[in-house]
Amino acid sequence: MRRWSEVAERISATTRTSEKTRLLAAYLGSVEPAALAPATVFFTARAFAEADARPLGVGWAMLADSVSRVARVTRAELGAAYDRHSDLGRAVGDVLAAREDVAPGGPAPRDAASAPGPVPGSPPTVPGSPPTVPEVAAAFAAIESARGPAAKAAVFEALLARCDPLSATYVVKILGGELRIGLREGLVEAAIAAAFGRPAPDVARAVMLTGDVGEAAILARDDRLGSARLGLFHPLRFMLASPAEDAAEIVARLGPVVWTEDKYDGIRAQLHRRGDEARLFSRDLHDVSAQFPEVVAAARDLAWDGILDGELLALRDGGVLPFLALQKRLGRKAPPPALLAEVPVAFVAFDVLAVGPRGGDVVPLLDLPLRERRARLEALRITATAPGRFALSRLATAGSAADLERIFAEARARRNEGLMVKDPGSAYSPGRRGFGWLKMKKALATLDCVVVGVEVGHGKRHGVLSDYTFAVRDEATGTLVTIGKAYSGLTDAEIAERTRWFEAHTISRHGRYRVVEPAVVVEVAFDVIMRSARHASGFALRFPRIARLRDDKAATEVDTLETVARLWRELQHGAEHLVTQEAARSLPAG
Ligand code: AMP
């Protein structure tokens, strides 16, 4: 792991992507066979391959407690190190390095009394020797399979105690899901291609189908990329949409004839089914089947195997319930029968990504144009098999900007969020935000931000952490930069629940203000974006308000500083655009 970490440091030290790729390719080409797969996966900031959805079950608080114990520092000292870097991995490296200065020869030995005994399933270790990449991978697997926080912490601490400060830094960064060395996943794929002299698109395709860069690296090494197969029950990345500027520009870009679908305000989901098994995956690629048992049960009756892309909506008596109703179902691992009756959920399909006869071979359809995928989707007759539980997105065609404005207004009148405009000739590009799909919604986009600090409120919110400081992501530096502070517009119950969470995930305290683990994503509405020196982003929002929690989004998915700057520029020049959109917005809502 030491060599891996040194390579990561060198990759971090250069800003040139060609040099990053070269360094990584040289490493992958020379690493011992057993380390190739895990080493490659670790470079995507994952403990396990993307297709392997096993949750490790280690939270920030556990990591911080364990680090404090192994390095023998207080949480406050660790918090101070975190403040220097805004990066738990670097903080861990710091406190361990300081420890080594005191006790040369490695981190302080653990007390015999508190040292964990051998953990079943943990990797065979040579005491005192630094862990290899396969040993770290085995330790991650052992953390996952250990039952309960104490057992998980014990495996993690045993791993950490063997790590030098640099390896510990990167072990923690991998567990935290962010390396911050300026290495996009595309560069990892490019490095695999360069390391083994294979075409980059072949590597990318194998990664997409298998959901496993480690396996793709092995296939590339062994010259077997062509044998990569689409596996069911590991989610493909979702195709994303770009925000649309205005109707005329959309038609100019995608026209002359574009497809539109209503943009439903629900939860994106991918449905996989084969034989008697069906599973639903969320946009952040988690298995959410248990949360939507009625949809999963209905999907078992479908007469084919394959993968659908769509949106989960709360639907009762043929009418869509407001997002607030659906929200009651989110985060409920196993919804009680009363809630299932109160807020029934349906799946509105808008795409088919793979299909085959029951029990037969499933063929990927991603490269077919949307026009053909839609025809295949309609031929599956899902609405006939499971009416009420399955529906198809509402499709229309538009040949002019005026058509688009009209359909947009109609979609709003149907109480949908806006329109998705799709190029009927476009392929399905997993994980890409291209121009095949454009989203047309409210004029002033809200921003998805991550809460980085909280304070107790005033008045009746005196005892709870209800004031949130939130940040967007600066892609140039990989850091989170604050952009505003708002009193939470959430309900008392939601605030109470979050208060407990923030208390358990406080990193450091500064008087009333707590720096918290950046994990809670909120959608923030505002009136205007202004230039401001008050926040690290250099921007501030006027009248910010928390529109809703975005539990479906991870902190890595929040809006970027670049988007903020673009919105700011548009607001300087975009009065005309706002008028058009305002007119659409003020139409009766149904
Ligand atoms: P946003 O969350 O604002 O980035 O908008 C993109 C999201 O709109 C997708 O991830 C889907 O969850 C949702 N959506 C709603 N209706 C559709 C549709 N007909 N086609 C594609 N995406 C849709």
Side-chain angles (χ1 to χ4, degrees), residues 238-241 261-269 283 309-311 350 393-394 417 420 422 433 437 439 441 448 550 553:
F238 290 78
M239 177 157 173
L240 303 171
E261 290 172 29
D262 282 19
K263 183 175 192 303
Y264 304 95
D265 193 10
I267 296 291
R268 183 83 175 267
R283 188 187 145 114
D309 188 7
E311 189 90 350
F350 44 73
S393 61
R394 188 188 183 99
E417 209 186 348
M420 297 294 300
K422 301 184 178 178
R433 196 181 289 288
W437 291 8
K439 58 187 176 195
K441 48 179 193 178
D448 290 332
R550 290 296 307 251
K553 285 203 175 179

PDB file of all heavy atoms in Angstrom, residues 238-241 261-269 283 309-311 350 393-394 417 420 422 433 437 439 441 448 550 553, ligand 1:
ATOM      1  N   PHE A 238     -26.428   6.075 -14.440  1.00  0.00           N
ATOM      2  CA  PHE A 238     -27.580   6.699 -15.070  1.00  0.00           C
ATOM      3  C   PHE A 238     -27.135   7.748 -16.084  1.00  0.00           C
ATOM      4  O   PHE A 238     -26.182   8.472 -15.846  1.00  0.00           O
ATOM      5  CB  PHE A 238     -28.447   7.378 -14.001  1.00  0.00           C
ATOM      6  CG  PHE A 238     -29.152   6.403 -13.100  1.00  0.00           C
ATOM      7  CD1 PHE A 238     -28.478   5.773 -12.070  1.00  0.00           C
ATOM      8  CD2 PHE A 238     -30.489   6.112 -13.290  1.00  0.00           C
ATOM      9  CE1 PHE A 238     -29.115   4.865 -11.237  1.00  0.00           C
ATOM     10  CE2 PHE A 238     -31.141   5.207 -12.455  1.00  0.00           C
ATOM     11  CZ  PHE A 238     -30.457   4.588 -11.430  1.00  0.00           C
ATOM     12  N   MET A 239     -27.856   7.820 -17.177  1.00  0.00           N
ATOM     13  CA  MET A 239     -27.614   8.910 -18.125  1.00  0.00           C
ATOM     14  C   MET A 239     -28.187  10.186 -17.514  1.00  0.00           C
ATOM     15  O   MET A 239     -29.256  10.171 -16.920  1.00  0.00           O
ATOM     16  CB  MET A 239     -28.311   8.622 -19.453  1.00  0.00           C
ATOM     17  CG  MET A 239     -28.164   9.743 -20.455  1.00  0.00           C
ATOM     18  SD  MET A 239     -28.395   9.118 -22.135  1.00  0.00           S
ATOM     19  CE  MET A 239     -28.401  10.633 -23.072  1.00  0.00           C
ATOM     20  N   LEU A 240     -27.456  11.281 -17.637  1.00  0.00           N
ATOM     21  CA  LEU A 240     -27.877  12.525 -17.002  1.00  0.00           C
ATOM     22  C   LEU A 240     -28.244  13.556 -18.064  1.00  0.00           C
ATOM     23  O   LEU A 240     -27.902  13.403 -19.231  1.00  0.00           O
ATOM     24  CB  LEU A 240     -26.752  13.063 -16.118  1.00  0.00           C
ATOM     25  CG  LEU A 240     -26.264  12.082 -15.040  1.00  0.00           C
ATOM     26  CD1 LEU A 240     -25.012  12.617 -14.360  1.00  0.00           C
ATOM     27  CD2 LEU A 240     -27.351  11.830 -14.018  1.00  0.00           C
ATOM     28  N   ALA A 241     -28.917  14.588 -17.626  1.00  0.00           N
ATOM     29  CA  ALA A 241     -29.373  15.624 -18.549  1.00  0.00           C
ATOM     30  C   ALA A 241     -28.620  16.915 -18.289  1.00  0.00           C
ATOM     31  O   ALA A 241     -28.237  17.201 -17.162  1.00  0.00           O
ATOM     32  CB  ALA A 241     -30.864  15.848 -18.349  1.00  0.00           C
ATOM     33  N   GLU A 261     -40.547  14.599 -23.032  1.00  0.00           N
ATOM     34  CA  GLU A 261     -41.268  13.787 -22.051  1.00  0.00           C
ATOM     35  C   GLU A 261     -41.511  14.673 -20.849  1.00  0.00           C
ATOM     36  O   GLU A 261     -40.677  15.536 -20.548  1.00  0.00           O
ATOM     37  CB  GLU A 261     -40.408  12.590 -21.617  1.00  0.00           C
ATOM     38  CG  GLU A 261     -40.229  11.558 -22.710  1.00  0.00           C
ATOM     39  CD  GLU A 261     -39.203  10.498 -22.302  1.00  0.00           C
ATOM     40  OE1 GLU A 261     -39.067  10.228 -21.095  1.00  0.00           O
ATOM     41  OE2 GLU A 261     -38.541   9.979 -23.201  1.00  0.00           O
ATOM     42  N   ASP A 262     -42.624  14.472 -20.168  1.00  0.00           N
ATOM     43  CA  ASP A 262     -42.838  15.220 -18.931  1.00  0.00           C
ATOM     44  C   ASP A 262     -41.687  14.914 -17.983  1.00  0.00           C
ATOM     45  O   ASP A 262     -41.198  13.785 -17.944  1.00  0.00           O
ATOM     46  CB  ASP A 262     -44.160  14.805 -18.277  1.00  0.00           C
ATOM     47  CG  ASP A 262     -45.355  15.457 -18.980  1.00  0.00           C
ATOM     48  OD1 ASP A 262     -45.182  15.904 -20.129  1.00  0.00           O
ATOM     49  OD2 ASP A 262     -46.436  15.520 -18.370  1.00  0.00           O
ATOM     50  N   LYS A 263     -41.255  15.923 -17.240  1.00  0.00           N
ATOM     51  CA  LYS A 263     -40.221  15.692 -16.231  1.00  0.00           C
ATOM     52  C   LYS A 263     -40.928  15.485 -14.893  1.00  0.00           C
ATOM     53  O   LYS A 263     -41.482  16.416 -14.321  1.00  0.00           O
ATOM     54  CB  LYS A 263     -39.265  16.881 -16.155  1.00  0.00           C
ATOM     55  CG  LYS A 263     -38.126  16.676 -15.182  1.00  0.00           C
ATOM     56  CD  LYS A 263     -37.140  17.832 -15.249  1.00  0.00           C
ATOM     57  CE  LYS A 263     -35.848  17.512 -14.508  1.00  0.00           C
ATOM     58  NZ  LYS A 263     -36.031  17.162 -13.106  1.00  0.00           N
ATOM     59  N   TYR A 264     -40.935  14.243 -14.453  1.00  0.00           N
ATOM     60  CA  TYR A 264     -41.653  13.871 -13.236  1.00  0.00           C
ATOM     61  C   TYR A 264     -40.810  14.189 -12.018  1.00  0.00           C
ATOM     62  O   TYR A 264     -39.594  13.999 -12.033  1.00  0.00           O
ATOM     63  CB  TYR A 264     -42.007  12.381 -13.264  1.00  0.00           C
ATOM     64  CG  TYR A 264     -42.797  12.023 -14.495  1.00  0.00           C
ATOM     65  CD1 TYR A 264     -42.176  11.530 -15.632  1.00  0.00           C
ATOM     66  CD2 TYR A 264     -44.175  12.245 -14.526  1.00  0.00           C
ATOM     67  CE1 TYR A 264     -42.894  11.234 -16.777  1.00  0.00           C
ATOM     68  CE2 TYR A 264     -44.903  11.961 -15.672  1.00  0.00           C
ATOM     69  CZ  TYR A 264     -44.252  11.458 -16.797  1.00  0.00           C
ATOM     70  OH  TYR A 264     -44.971  11.189 -17.926  1.00  0.00           O
ATOM     71  N   ASP A 265     -41.471  14.631 -10.964  1.00  0.00           N
ATOM     72  CA  ASP A 265     -40.749  15.023  -9.761  1.00  0.00           C
ATOM     73  C   ASP A 265     -40.780  13.870  -8.759  1.00  0.00           C
ATOM     74  O   ASP A 265     -41.536  13.873  -7.800  1.00  0.00           O
ATOM     75  CB  ASP A 265     -41.407  16.276  -9.177  1.00  0.00           C
ATOM     76  CG  ASP A 265     -40.537  16.918  -8.120  1.00  0.00           C
ATOM     77  OD1 ASP A 265     -39.370  16.498  -7.987  1.00  0.00           O
ATOM     78  OD2 ASP A 265     -41.018  17.828  -7.436  1.00  0.00           O
ATOM     79  N   GLY A 266     -39.992  12.861  -9.050  1.00  0.00           N
ATOM     80  CA  GLY A 266     -39.959  11.700  -8.158  1.00  0.00           C
ATOM     81  C   GLY A 266     -38.531  11.315  -7.873  1.00  0.00           C
ATOM     82  O   GLY A 266     -37.673  12.184  -7.705  1.00  0.00           O
ATOM     83  N   ILE A 267     -38.285  10.007  -7.859  1.00  0.00           N
ATOM     84  CA  ILE A 267     -36.958   9.485  -7.553  1.00  0.00           C
ATOM     85  C   ILE A 267     -36.511   8.612  -8.708  1.00  0.00           C
ATOM     86  O   ILE A 267     -37.215   7.677  -9.092  1.00  0.00           O
ATOM     87  CB  ILE A 267     -37.024   8.616  -6.270  1.00  0.00           C
ATOM     88  CG1 ILE A 267     -37.417   9.471  -5.073  1.00  0.00           C
ATOM     89  CG2 ILE A 267     -35.715   7.899  -6.019  1.00  0.00           C
ATOM     90  CD1 ILE A 267     -36.346  10.451  -4.675  1.00  0.00           C
ATOM     91  N   ARG A 268     -35.361   8.899  -9.266  1.00  0.00           N
ATOM     92  CA  ARG A 268     -34.837   8.110 -10.379  1.00  0.00           C
ATOM     93  C   ARG A 268     -34.538   6.688  -9.911  1.00  0.00           C
ATOM     94  O   ARG A 268     -34.006   6.491  -8.813  1.00  0.00           O
ATOM     95  CB  ARG A 268     -33.542   8.778 -10.859  1.00  0.00           C
ATOM     96  CG  ARG A 268     -32.901   8.131 -12.075  1.00  0.00           C
ATOM     97  CD  ARG A 268     -33.562   8.628 -13.327  1.00  0.00           C
ATOM     98  NE  ARG A 268     -32.917   8.145 -14.542  1.00  0.00           N
ATOM     99  CZ  ARG A 268     -31.963   8.802 -15.196  1.00  0.00           C
ATOM    100  NH1 ARG A 268     -31.493   9.955 -14.725  1.00  0.00           N
ATOM    101  NH2 ARG A 268     -31.463   8.312 -16.308  1.00  0.00           N
ATOM    102  N   ALA A 269     -34.860   5.721 -10.728  1.00  0.00           N
ATOM    103  CA  ALA A 269     -34.580   4.335 -10.333  1.00  0.00           C
ATOM    104  C   ALA A 269     -34.331   3.465 -11.555  1.00  0.00           C
ATOM    105  O   ALA A 269     -34.846   3.730 -12.644  1.00  0.00           O
ATOM    106  CB  ALA A 269     -35.736   3.770  -9.525  1.00  0.00           C
ATOM    107  N   ARG A 283     -30.332   6.367  -7.907  1.00  0.00           N
ATOM    108  CA  ARG A 283     -29.411   7.139  -8.732  1.00  0.00           C
ATOM    109  C   ARG A 283     -27.974   7.084  -8.217  1.00  0.00           C
ATOM    110  O   ARG A 283     -27.026   7.152  -8.977  1.00  0.00           O
ATOM    111  CB  ARG A 283     -29.958   8.562  -8.652  1.00  0.00           C
ATOM    112  CG  ARG A 283     -29.409   9.558  -9.484  1.00  0.00           C
ATOM    113  CD  ARG A 283     -30.054  10.853  -9.018  1.00  0.00           C
ATOM    114  NE  ARG A 283     -29.053  11.859  -9.160  1.00  0.00           N
ATOM    115  CZ  ARG A 283     -29.146  12.866 -10.017  1.00  0.00           C
ATOM    116  NH1 ARG A 283     -30.226  13.033 -10.720  1.00  0.00           N
ATOM    117  NH2 ARG A 283     -28.182  13.719 -10.138  1.00  0.00           N
ATOM    118  N   ASP A 309     -35.061   1.989 -17.111  1.00  0.00           N
ATOM    119  CA  ASP A 309     -34.717   3.236 -16.427  1.00  0.00           C
ATOM    120  C   ASP A 309     -36.008   4.020 -16.273  1.00  0.00           C
ATOM    121  O   ASP A 309     -36.828   4.048 -17.190  1.00  0.00           O
ATOM    122  CB  ASP A 309     -33.716   4.017 -17.292  1.00  0.00           C
ATOM    123  CG  ASP A 309     -33.143   5.241 -16.580  1.00  0.00           C
ATOM    124  OD1 ASP A 309     -33.410   5.416 -15.372  1.00  0.00           O
ATOM    125  OD2 ASP A 309     -32.419   6.006 -17.245  1.00  0.00           O
ATOM    126  N   GLY A 310     -36.206   4.629 -15.119  1.00  0.00           N
ATOM    127  CA  GLY A 310     -37.441   5.383 -14.934  1.00  0.00           C
ATOM    128  C   GLY A 310     -37.453   6.174 -13.651  1.00  0.00           C
ATOM    129  O   GLY A 310     -36.412   6.390 -13.028  1.00  0.00           O
ATOM    130  N   GLU A 311     -38.624   6.593 -13.278  1.00  0.00           N
ATOM    131  CA  GLU A 311     -38.798   7.455 -12.109  1.00  0.00           C
ATOM    132  C   GLU A 311     -39.858   6.832 -11.198  1.00  0.00           C
ATOM    133  O   GLU A 311     -40.913   6.404 -11.684  1.00  0.00           O
ATOM    134  CB  GLU A 311     -39.257   8.841 -12.615  1.00  0.00           C
ATOM    135  CG  GLU A 311     -39.280   9.923 -11.598  1.00  0.00           C
ATOM    136  CD  GLU A 311     -37.957  10.712 -11.491  1.00  0.00           C
ATOM    137  OE1 GLU A 311     -36.939  10.295 -12.094  1.00  0.00           O
ATOM    138  OE2 GLU A 311     -37.970  11.726 -10.788  1.00  0.00           O
ATOM    139  N   PHE A 350     -39.009   5.255 -18.706  1.00  0.00           N
ATOM    140  CA  PHE A 350     -38.764   6.051 -19.901  1.00  0.00           C
ATOM    141  C   PHE A 350     -37.670   5.463 -20.783  1.00  0.00           C
ATOM    142  O   PHE A 350     -37.367   6.000 -21.832  1.00  0.00           O
ATOM    143  CB  PHE A 350     -38.505   7.530 -19.598  1.00  0.00           C
ATOM    144  CG  PHE A 350     -37.577   7.833 -18.457  1.00  0.00           C
ATOM    145  CD1 PHE A 350     -36.228   7.633 -18.574  1.00  0.00           C
ATOM    146  CD2 PHE A 350     -38.085   8.345 -17.270  1.00  0.00           C
ATOM    147  CE1 PHE A 350     -35.371   7.941 -17.540  1.00  0.00           C
ATOM    148  CE2 PHE A 350     -37.236   8.657 -16.216  1.00  0.00           C
ATOM    149  CZ  PHE A 350     -35.872   8.449 -16.353  1.00  0.00           C
ATOM    150  N   SER A 393     -43.541   7.020 -19.670  1.00  0.00           N
ATOM    151  CA  SER A 393     -43.469   8.480 -19.657  1.00  0.00           C
ATOM    152  C   SER A 393     -44.268   9.020 -20.841  1.00  0.00           C
ATOM    153  O   SER A 393     -44.406   8.362 -21.866  1.00  0.00           O
ATOM    154  CB  SER A 393     -42.018   8.940 -19.752  1.00  0.00           C
ATOM    155  OG  SER A 393     -41.460   8.491 -20.964  1.00  0.00           O
ATOM    156  N   ARG A 394     -44.791  10.214 -20.654  1.00  0.00           N
ATOM    157  CA  ARG A 394     -45.630  10.807 -21.695  1.00  0.00           C
ATOM    158  C   ARG A 394     -44.742  11.441 -22.759  1.00  0.00           C
ATOM    159  O   ARG A 394     -43.955  12.343 -22.470  1.00  0.00           O
ATOM    160  CB  ARG A 394     -46.493  11.877 -21.035  1.00  0.00           C
ATOM    161  CG  ARG A 394     -47.530  12.442 -21.918  1.00  0.00           C
ATOM    162  CD  ARG A 394     -48.189  13.622 -21.217  1.00  0.00           C
ATOM    163  NE  ARG A 394     -49.243  14.106 -22.061  1.00  0.00           N
ATOM    164  CZ  ARG A 394     -50.523  13.794 -21.898  1.00  0.00           C
ATOM    165  NH1 ARG A 394     -50.901  13.052 -20.891  1.00  0.00           N
ATOM    166  NH2 ARG A 394     -51.416  14.255 -22.734  1.00  0.00           N
ATOM    167  N   GLU A 417     -42.732  18.765 -13.195  1.00  0.00           N
ATOM    168  CA  GLU A 417     -41.734  19.781 -12.908  1.00  0.00           C
ATOM    169  C   GLU A 417     -41.350  20.606 -14.135  1.00  0.00           C
ATOM    170  O   GLU A 417     -40.934  21.760 -14.022  1.00  0.00           O
ATOM    171  CB  GLU A 417     -40.500  19.031 -12.398  1.00  0.00           C
ATOM    172  CG  GLU A 417     -39.648  19.792 -11.459  1.00  0.00           C
ATOM    173  CD  GLU A 417     -38.380  19.014 -11.131  1.00  0.00           C
ATOM    174  OE1 GLU A 417     -38.279  17.803 -11.454  1.00  0.00           O
ATOM    175  OE2 GLU A 417     -37.488  19.638 -10.565  1.00  0.00           O
ATOM    176  N   MET A 420     -38.366  17.056 -20.144  1.00  0.00           N
ATOM    177  CA  MET A 420     -37.091  16.515 -20.590  1.00  0.00           C
ATOM    178  C   MET A 420     -37.162  16.558 -22.103  1.00  0.00           C
ATOM    179  O   MET A 420     -38.158  16.108 -22.687  1.00  0.00           O
ATOM    180  CB  MET A 420     -36.915  15.063 -20.146  1.00  0.00           C
ATOM    181  CG  MET A 420     -36.888  14.862 -18.663  1.00  0.00           C
ATOM    182  SD  MET A 420     -35.460  15.590 -17.848  1.00  0.00           S
ATOM    183  CE  MET A 420     -34.144  14.718 -18.663  1.00  0.00           C
ATOM    184  N   LYS A 422     -35.404  15.246 -25.479  1.00  0.00           N
ATOM    185  CA  LYS A 422     -34.451  14.193 -25.838  1.00  0.00           C
ATOM    186  C   LYS A 422     -34.265  14.113 -27.348  1.00  0.00           C
ATOM    187  O   LYS A 422     -35.217  14.285 -28.108  1.00  0.00           O
ATOM    188  CB  LYS A 422     -34.941  12.842 -25.286  1.00  0.00           C
ATOM    189  CG  LYS A 422     -35.094  12.857 -23.759  1.00  0.00           C
ATOM    190  CD  LYS A 422     -35.476  11.498 -23.191  1.00  0.00           C
ATOM    191  CE  LYS A 422     -35.569  11.562 -21.674  1.00  0.00           C
ATOM    192  NZ  LYS A 422     -35.976  10.286 -21.058  1.00  0.00           N
ATOM    193  N   ARG A 433     -23.307  13.469 -18.688  1.00  0.00           N
ATOM    194  CA  ARG A 433     -24.247  14.575 -18.779  1.00  0.00           C
ATOM    195  C   ARG A 433     -23.991  15.199 -20.141  1.00  0.00           C
ATOM    196  O   ARG A 433     -23.209  16.126 -20.282  1.00  0.00           O
ATOM    197  CB  ARG A 433     -23.969  15.578 -17.662  1.00  0.00           C
ATOM    198  CG  ARG A 433     -25.071  16.560 -17.414  1.00  0.00           C
ATOM    199  CD  ARG A 433     -24.680  17.516 -16.308  1.00  0.00           C
ATOM    200  NE  ARG A 433     -24.641  16.930 -14.988  1.00  0.00           N
ATOM    201  CZ  ARG A 433     -25.710  16.564 -14.282  1.00  0.00           C
ATOM    202  NH1 ARG A 433     -26.911  16.739 -14.774  1.00  0.00           N
ATOM    203  NH2 ARG A 433     -25.584  16.044 -13.088  1.00  0.00           N
ATOM    204  N   TRP A 437     -29.903  14.476 -23.757  1.00  0.00           N
ATOM    205  CA  TRP A 437     -31.060  14.816 -22.926  1.00  0.00           C
ATOM    206  C   TRP A 437     -30.854  16.212 -22.364  1.00  0.00           C
ATOM    207  O   TRP A 437     -29.785  16.506 -21.815  1.00  0.00           O
ATOM    208  CB  TRP A 437     -31.169  13.882 -21.715  1.00  0.00           C
ATOM    209  CG  TRP A 437     -31.527  12.474 -21.998  1.00  0.00           C
ATOM    210  CD1 TRP A 437     -31.632  11.866 -23.214  1.00  0.00           C
ATOM    211  CD2 TRP A 437     -31.811  11.463 -21.019  1.00  0.00           C
ATOM    212  NE1 TRP A 437     -31.958  10.551 -23.053  1.00  0.00           N
ATOM    213  CE2 TRP A 437     -32.076  10.281 -21.713  1.00  0.00           C
ATOM    214  CE3 TRP A 437     -31.866  11.446 -19.631  1.00  0.00           C
ATOM    215  CZ2 TRP A 437     -32.391   9.089 -21.073  1.00  0.00           C
ATOM    216  CZ3 TRP A 437     -32.175  10.279 -18.978  1.00  0.00           C
ATOM    217  CH2 TRP A 437     -32.445   9.102 -19.699  1.00  0.00           C
ATOM    218  N   LYS A 439     -32.776  19.187 -19.822  1.00  0.00           N
ATOM    219  CA  LYS A 439     -33.905  19.398 -18.901  1.00  0.00           C
ATOM    220  C   LYS A 439     -34.298  20.854 -18.916  1.00  0.00           C
ATOM    221  O   LYS A 439     -33.464  21.741 -18.856  1.00  0.00           O
ATOM    222  CB  LYS A 439     -33.564  18.917 -17.499  1.00  0.00           C
ATOM    223  CG  LYS A 439     -32.360  19.556 -16.884  1.00  0.00           C
ATOM    224  CD  LYS A 439     -31.998  18.895 -15.553  1.00  0.00           C
ATOM    225  CE  LYS A 439     -30.714  19.511 -15.016  1.00  0.00           C
ATOM    226  NZ  LYS A 439     -30.089  18.751 -13.963  1.00  0.00           N
ATOM    227  N   LYS A 441     -36.536  23.369 -16.926  1.00  0.00           N
ATOM    228  CA  LYS A 441     -37.396  23.542 -15.753  1.00  0.00           C
ATOM    229  C   LYS A 441     -37.467  24.991 -15.357  1.00  0.00           C
ATOM    230  O   LYS A 441     -37.472  25.851 -16.228  1.00  0.00           O
ATOM    231  CB  LYS A 441     -37.016  22.610 -14.618  1.00  0.00           C
ATOM    232  CG  LYS A 441     -35.568  22.532 -14.237  1.00  0.00           C
ATOM    233  CD  LYS A 441     -35.428  21.546 -13.063  1.00  0.00           C
ATOM    234  CE  LYS A 441     -34.066  21.677 -12.435  1.00  0.00           C
ATOM    235  NZ  LYS A 441     -33.888  20.809 -11.304  1.00  0.00           N
ATOM    236  N   ASP A 448     -28.075  22.548  -5.576  1.00  0.00           N
ATOM    237  CA  ASP A 448     -27.893  21.467  -4.616  1.00  0.00           C
ATOM    238  C   ASP A 448     -26.577  21.711  -3.890  1.00  0.00           C
ATOM    239  O   ASP A 448     -25.522  21.815  -4.536  1.00  0.00           O
ATOM    240  CB  ASP A 448     -27.855  20.114  -5.329  1.00  0.00           C
ATOM    241  CG  ASP A 448     -29.219  19.742  -5.888  1.00  0.00           C
ATOM    242  OD1 ASP A 448     -30.223  20.196  -5.310  1.00  0.00           O
ATOM    243  OD2 ASP A 448     -29.275  19.028  -6.899  1.00  0.00           O
ATOM    244  N   ARG A 550     -32.103  16.544  -0.044  1.00  0.00           N
ATOM    245  CA  ARG A 550     -31.898  15.685  -1.211  1.00  0.00           C
ATOM    246  C   ARG A 550     -31.153  14.421  -0.755  1.00  0.00           C
ATOM    247  O   ARG A 550     -29.992  14.224  -1.059  1.00  0.00           O
ATOM    248  CB  ARG A 550     -31.090  16.418  -2.288  1.00  0.00           C
ATOM    249  CG  ARG A 550     -31.841  17.547  -2.989  1.00  0.00           C
ATOM    250  CD  ARG A 550     -33.040  17.073  -3.794  1.00  0.00           C
ATOM    251  NE  ARG A 550     -32.777  16.018  -4.743  1.00  0.00           N
ATOM    252  CZ  ARG A 550     -32.780  16.172  -6.058  1.00  0.00           C
ATOM    253  NH1 ARG A 550     -33.018  17.339  -6.596  1.00  0.00           N
ATOM    254  NH2 ARG A 550     -32.563  15.152  -6.852  1.00  0.00           N
ATOM    255  N   LYS A 553     -29.184  12.354  -3.138  1.00  0.00           N
ATOM    256  CA  LYS A 553     -27.920  12.792  -3.737  1.00  0.00           C
ATOM    257  C   LYS A 553     -26.777  12.682  -2.727  1.00  0.00           C
ATOM    258  O   LYS A 553     -26.960  12.933  -1.538  1.00  0.00           O
ATOM    259  CB  LYS A 553     -28.015  14.240  -4.211  1.00  0.00           C
ATOM    260  CG  LYS A 553     -28.824  14.390  -5.488  1.00  0.00           C
ATOM    261  CD  LYS A 553     -28.479  15.655  -6.243  1.00  0.00           C
ATOM    262  CE  LYS A 553     -29.229  15.677  -7.575  1.00  0.00           C
ATOM    263  NZ  LYS A 553     -28.981  16.876  -8.351  1.00  0.00           N
TER     264      LYS A 553
HETATM  265  P1  AMP B   1     -32.311  16.906 -12.119  1.00  0.00           P
HETATM  266  O1  AMP B   1     -32.528  16.005 -10.932  1.00  0.00           O
HETATM  267  O2  AMP B   1     -32.909  18.256 -11.943  1.00  0.00           O
HETATM  268  O3  AMP B   1     -30.850  16.918 -12.542  1.00  0.00           O
HETATM  269  O4  AMP B   1     -33.103  16.301 -13.377  1.00  0.00           O
HETATM  270  C1  AMP B   1     -32.818  15.043 -13.927  1.00  0.00           C
HETATM  271  C2  AMP B   1     -33.763  14.033 -13.334  1.00  0.00           C
HETATM  272  O5  AMP B   1     -35.073  14.190 -13.811  1.00  0.00           O
HETATM  273  C3  AMP B   1     -33.451  12.608 -13.683  1.00  0.00           C
HETATM  274  O6  AMP B   1     -32.401  12.085 -12.935  1.00  0.00           O
HETATM  275  C4  AMP B   1     -34.767  11.909 -13.379  1.00  0.00           C
HETATM  276  O7  AMP B   1     -34.794  11.528 -12.020  1.00  0.00           O
HETATM  277  C5  AMP B   1     -35.796  12.998 -13.562  1.00  0.00           C
HETATM  278  N1  AMP B   1     -36.769  12.736 -14.635  1.00  0.00           N
HETATM  279  C6  AMP B   1     -38.085  12.951 -14.507  1.00  0.00           C
HETATM  280  N2  AMP B   1     -38.744  12.625 -15.619  1.00  0.00           N
HETATM  281  C7  AMP B   1     -37.827  12.188 -16.508  1.00  0.00           C
HETATM  282  C8  AMP B   1     -37.906  11.705 -17.857  1.00  0.00           C
HETATM  283  N3  AMP B   1     -39.063  11.643 -18.526  1.00  0.00           N
HETATM  284  N4  AMP B   1     -36.734  11.336 -18.454  1.00  0.00           N
HETATM  285  C9  AMP B   1     -35.559  11.413 -17.806  1.00  0.00           C
HETATM  286  N5  AMP B   1     -35.430  11.858 -16.529  1.00  0.00           N
HETATM  287  C10 AMP B   1     -36.555  12.244 -15.881  1.00  0.00           C
END
